[in-house]
Amino acid sequence: MIPHGVEIFVGLEPIDLRWGFERLAGVVEERLGRQTRSGALFVFFGKRRTALKVLFYDGTGLCLFYKRLDAGGFQVPRGLEEGATHLAVEEHVLEELLDGLRVEAPTRGPRPH
């Protein structure tokens, strides 16, 4: 169900899962500094991390997906830069997150000289 080739951003600060389209679109633009209608997927966790929402613009309108795990909680990547508000991830990382698996923050390779 994840569109291939899209950017995926995971918000690291918990949100109130009662928030809908407009409030989440505001979070995308204010906290993450991204355009809501860019075609990227934006993932947000609730405070207890047992549920999440994904906001996505499909070209005709905003889509909002909600997932709650039957047991356990979503594992937010660790080892991030201090003060980070979001994390860009690959498709396979999002799939692992949605399955409730623990994922690690991507490590940065050596910078080219």
Side-chain angles (χ1 to χ4, degrees), residues 5-27:
V6 299
E7 292 181 296
I8 303 166
F9 299 97
V10 177
L12 300 175
E13 299 172 8
I15 63 155
D16 184 334
L17 289 172
R18 296 174 291 184
W19 293 352
F21 294 96
E22 297 306 319
R23 187 83 181 255
L24 290 175
V27 170

Side-chain angles (χ1 to χ4, degrees), residues 68-99:
R68 184 185 70 204
L69 293 176
D70 288 336
F74 292 103
Q75 303 296 317
V76 177
R78 301 195 192 289
L80 305 170
E81 293 180 24
E82 188 173 327
T85 59
H86 66 283
L87 174 67
V89 299
E90 300 290 329
E91 294 170 28
H92 70 91
V93 174
L94 177 59
E95 290 172 358
E96 291 171 1
L97 275 174
L98 292 175
D99 288 339

Side-chain angles (χ1 to χ4, degrees), residues 32-54:
L32 306 184
R34 308 292 301 186
Q35 293 296 315
T36 306
R37 289 173 170 77
S38 66
L41 293 173
F42 301 96
V43 181
F44 300 99
F45 295 98
K47 185 176 181 180
R48 293 180 291 165
R49 301 213 193 289
T50 57
L52 61 73
K53 283 189 171 182
V54 178

Side-chain angles (χ1 to χ4, degrees), residues 59-74:
T60 63
L62 289 173
C63 303
L64 188 60
F65 303 99
Y66 180 89
K67 181 169 183 175
R68 184 185 70 204
L69 293 176
D70 288 336
F74 292 103

